[in-house]
Amino acid sequence: MKKFIIAVGLLTLASTAFAQGKSCEELKAEIAAKLDGKGVSGYSLEIVDKGTGGDGKVVGTCEKGTKEIVYKR
């Protein structure tokens, strides 16, 4: 579980840096591929307006910071 939390944290940092030039759907697909590659299952990724992620963990931003990709398990 610790490795998973670290992986999500690293994804957050990496995806935030690269998110400015990518569409939300493209970024969401990349994050999903990385999670699937780590063997994570039973999760959802949702694109929401910034600040409306609710109880999920923000794992990326897109559309110049106006949208967030939220991870929920």
Side-chain angles (χ1 to χ4, degrees):
M1 188 65 178
K2 272 187 168 181
K3 288 182 182 180
F4 172 73
I5 292 171
I6 291 171
V8 169
L10 291 174
L11 283 173
T12 302
L13 293 174
S15 62
T16 302
F18 294 109
Q20 297 299 325
K22 295 186 181 185
S23 71
C24 288
E25 288 299 326
E26 182 181 355
L27 183 59
K28 180 180 171 182
E30 287 180 14
I31 293 170
K34 288 179 184 179
L35 290 171
D36 292 342
K38 298 280 184 184
V40 179
S41 62
Y43 68 89
S44 67
L45 294 173
E46 186 178 351
I47 300 169
V48 298
D49 290 329
K50 187 173 183 173
T52 60
D55 59 345
K57 169 129 175 89
V58 176
V59 293
T61 59
C62 51
E63 293 189 22
K64 298 184 180 179
T66 61
K67 303 269 185 188
E68 296 175 329
I69 298 176
V70 177
Y71 167 88
K72 292 183 184 176
R73 188 148 177 130

